[in-house]
Amino acid sequence: MAYKRLEENSFTWPAIRDGAMTLNRAQFEALFAGLDWRRVRSLEARRPAVAE
């Protein structure tokens, strides 16, 4: 497991539902970086348009 120390404040953890916390990858990375994971949204990759 990794150790993360914040310079200020503390981590904001997600709510526990059915005995587990659920985060997507982008939210987990934001939490681990000390950012507010609640403001992070995963972007859907768009396929490039086909040139005709």
Side-chain angles (χ1 to χ4, degrees):
M1 196 73 183
Y3 172 79
K4 180 70 176 175
R5 179 178 166 219
L6 295 176
E7 298 298 324
E8 297 178 16
N9 302 324
S10 62
F11 287 108
T12 301
W13 295 100
I16 297 174
R17 294 189 183 132
D18 297 325
M21 289 184 224
T22 304
L23 294 171
N24 64 35
R25 181 180 176 140
Q27 291 171 327
F28 172 78
E29 289 178 6
L31 174 67
F32 194 73
L35 303 173
D36 186 354
W37 61 269
R38 296 169 294 182
R39 295 179 150 202
V40 174
R41 301 285 182 262
S42 293
L43 297 176
E44 291 184 26
R46 294 184 184 179
R47 293 181 184 228
V50 177
E52 294 182 29

